[in-house]
Amino acid sequence: MSVRGINQVLKVISSSIKQNPSRFSIVSGNQSGDLDSIVSAISYAYFNHIHNSSSLMIPLLNFTRKELSSRKDVLLVFQKHGIDTQNLFFTDDLTQLKNVDQLILVDHNSPQGKVKNPGLEIVGIIDHHEDEGIAIDAKPRIIQKSGSCSSLVFKYWYDLIGDSNKIEDSIIKFLLAPLVIDTSNLTSKVEDIDVQVFKIYSKYLHDFDTGAFYKDVRKAKDDIEGLSLDDIFLKDYKSFEFEVGSSDVVKKVGITSVVKPFDWLEDRFAKLNQGAKMFLEDQHLDIFIIMTSYLNKDDQFNRQLGIIGASESDDVLINLALEAVKDQLEIETLPKYTEESPKLQVFQQKNLASSRKQVAPAFKNALERL
């Protein structure tokens, strides 16, 4: 079989689905829909097709088609690889996808968003987040620390396919994008698996300028100018359900990651606290957490954390949770954001190593222990 390009494979998959097959499976990234989740899902389906073209699997982007426009880094990578978005599937398409019986999760290990369907059997998991202990019989079930989930996806299929001639340069450059973004061009949060796969990638990259590629994609990722506040919040967003103490109370908590500081947001959006509260209400949340990560004027990496509740009782829970996580996250209050109602509390987060991957479990544990 000749090696096919990414878009060619996606076109074949899309055309096959439109013929209403009797059975097929979905591979989906997490609800944040970042570059790592998207590339992991698409490359998993691509390699599945290369390995066994009779096994029909579609990559599902775990957000609406409309939301793709805010992900400028993803659009840039798609453009570089000639990927036609008409060959992709989004959560809007779920109602039209009949005869789906199996689900593979990448970049998360418990279903999120609209793919959270008890009727779907979870048959595969490849992830680098905290293990939530579900689908323990899934094959593969790879939950391992890595800078980028795409590294785990590639290594799984590389070992399974066992023929390097079936892997073309374009899929390697496609996989390279989340690896360099998530590890700051292999300078931060790099694990052994990332080093291993980059050595393999290098055999295909030849004279490819990885540094320039990283800068282009990073610039696109950080470009949120012109987006609405809702678009910014939805661009890298996840929702969770956390139990409170030993009661039957469950709180819906949303966490967004933003690539600009609160000062930037405040300069562009009047009454930021009201905008945050409206987003919380639109998403039917009890607690909304805004995490920012950015470089200051001295090119030093910084983090901030903002949090707002739906009600006075939620504010009480927030304060108790903050007391529990303050030492772990090393947070310091930024008072100017807490003066108006609704109360948006904002903190400088000194623990720079704690991204959402650590912050979500920290708040989960804090609420459970109340």
Side-chain angles (χ1 to χ4, degrees), residues 150-152 154-155 158-159 164 167 169 172-173 175-176 179-180 183 185-186 190-206 210:
S150 63
S151 298
L152 301 174
F154 171 75
K155 190 62 166 60
Y158 183 78
D159 292 343
S164 58
I167 299 172
D169 295 358
I172 298 299
K173 291 173 184 175
L175 284 155
L176 181 66
L179 175 59
V180 295
T183 64
N185 201 19
L186 297 164
V190 182
E191 301 294 336
D192 288 344
I193 185 67
D194 303 303
V195 175
Q196 289 177 38
V197 301
F198 184 71
K199 286 180 180 177
I200 300 171
Y201 291 174
S202 297
K203 298 175 184 177
Y204 296 86
L205 294 174
H206 309 298
T210 303

Side-chain angles (χ1 to χ4, degrees), residues 124-323:
I125 295 173
I126 299 183
D127 185 33
H128 61 158
H129 295 85
E130 182 177 317
D131 192 343
E132 298 189 42
I134 72 163
I136 57 173
D137 295 325
K139 292 181 181 179
R141 191 177 193 277
I142 301 167
I143 301 177
Q144 178 184 334
K145 198 172 183 182
S146 65
S148 172
C149 182
S150 63
S151 298
L152 301 174
V153 170
F154 171 75
K155 190 62 166 60
Y156 167 72
W157 282 108
Y158 183 78
D159 292 343
L160 193 63
I161 291 172
D163 183 356
S164 58
N165 292 322
K166 288 188 175 182
I167 299 172
E168 66 164 25
D169 295 358
S170 66
I171 191 66
I172 298 299
K173 291 173 184 175
F174 187 61
L175 284 155
L176 181 66
L179 175 59
V180 295
I181 287 298
D182 289 351
T183 64
S184 298
N185 201 19
L186 297 164
T187 64
S188 175
K189 299 182 179 179
V190 182
E191 301 294 336
D192 288 344
I193 185 67
D194 303 303
V195 175
Q196 289 177 38
V197 301
F198 184 71
K199 286 180 180 177
I200 300 171
Y201 291 174
S202 297
K203 298 175 184 177
Y204 296 86
L205 294 174
H206 309 298
D207 296 326
F208 186 73
D209 191 338
T210 303
F213 178 63
Y214 165 70
K215 289 179 180 177
D216 287 346
V217 180
R218 179 85 245 180
K219 183 179 179 182
K221 177 181 173 65
D222 291 345
D223 181 10
I224 58 174
E225 200 71 65
L227 299 182
S228 70
L229 186 59
D230 275 6
D231 285 342
I232 290 171
F233 286 158
L234 285 169
K235 181 175 179 287
D236 193 349
Y237 169 80
K238 290 183 184 179
S239 64
F240 305 86
E241 291 185 349
F242 296 157
E243 295 179 358
V244 179
S246 58
S247 67
D248 293 329
V249 176
V250 175
K251 293 295 180 180
K252 188 174 180 183
V253 180
I255 306 180
T256 187
S257 295
V258 179
V259 294
K260 301 292 184 184
F262 274 91
D263 282 349
W264 187 95
L265 292 170
E266 190 181 46
D267 286 345
R268 285 158 180 79
F269 302 101
K271 299 183 179 179
L272 177 61
N273 58 334
Q274 292 185 17
K277 185 66 176 285
M278 287 177 63
F279 182 85
L280 174 149
E281 292 170 350
D282 289 344
Q283 300 298 318
H284 308 291
L285 301 175
D286 299 298
I287 297 171
F288 180 38
I289 298 173
I290 304 166
M291 298 186 62
T292 73
S293 57
Y294 60 95
L295 296 178
N296 65 14
K297 61 182 180 181
D298 297 320
D299 283 336
Q300 295 174 324
F301 183 71
N302 281 257
R303 288 190 184 278
Q304 295 170 325
L305 186 147
I307 188 165
I308 189 169
S311 66
E312 289 185 7
S313 61
D314 290 318
D315 288 340
V316 171
L317 291 177
I318 285 172
N319 289 333
L320 292 171
L322 286 170
E323 184 66 25

Side-chain angles (χ1 to χ4, degrees), residues 6-180:
I6 305 167
N7 194 60
Q8 188 179 0
V9 168
L10 292 173
K11 188 174 182 179
V12 169
I13 294 171
S14 177
S15 298
S16 299
I17 294 298
K18 289 171 183 176
Q19 294 172 15
N20 197 25
S22 58
R23 272 188 163 188
F24 61 94
S25 56
I26 284 176
V27 54
S28 173
N30 66 45
Q31 189 182 21
S32 76
D34 65 358
L35 187 62
D36 195 20
S37 270
I38 291 170
V39 170
S40 291
I42 292 174
S43 58
Y44 193 106
Y46 170 88
F47 284 125
N48 177 76
H49 183 84
I50 295 300
H51 184 58
N52 180 9
S53 60
S54 64
S55 170
L56 189 54
M57 178 185 298
I58 68 165
L60 182 83
L61 277 57
N62 202 350
F63 51 89
T64 64
R65 188 175 292 272
K66 178 184 175 183
E67 291 173 52
L68 180 62
S69 61
S70 66
R71 292 158 167 83
K72 298 179 184 179
D73 53 338
V74 176
L75 292 175
L76 176 65
V77 173
F78 282 179
Q79 179 188 1
K80 286 180 178 291
H81 289 85
I83 293 176
D84 182 354
T85 58
Q86 294 304 309
N87 294 327
L88 296 172
F89 293 86
F90 298 78
T91 54
D92 318 57
D93 304 310
L94 279 171
T95 55
Q96 303 171 33
L97 295 175
K98 310 298 182 183
N99 304 324
V100 183
D101 58 355
Q102 295 181 329
L103 176 64
I104 296 94
L105 305 178
V106 290
D107 205 19
H108 62 317
N109 61 83
S110 180
Q112 297 175 358
K114 292 186 178 179
V115 299
K116 193 174 183 178
N117 182 342
L120 291 178
E121 180 188 7
I122 300 171
V123 296
I125 295 173
I126 299 183
D127 185 33
H128 61 158
H129 295 85
E130 182 177 317
D131 192 343
E132 298 189 42
I134 72 163
I136 57 173
D137 295 325
K139 292 181 181 179
R141 191 177 193 277
I142 301 167
I143 301 177
Q144 178 184 334
K145 198 172 183 182
S146 65
S148 172
C149 182
S150 63
S151 298
L152 301 174
V153 170
F154 171 75
K155 190 62 166 60
Y156 167 72
W157 282 108
Y158 183 78
D159 292 343
L160 193 63
I161 291 172
D163 183 356
S164 58
N165 292 322
K166 288 188 175 182
I167 299 172
E168 66 164 25
D169 295 358
S170 66
I171 191 66
I172 298 299
K173 291 173 184 175
F174 187 61
L175 284 155
L176 181 66
L179 175 59
V180 295

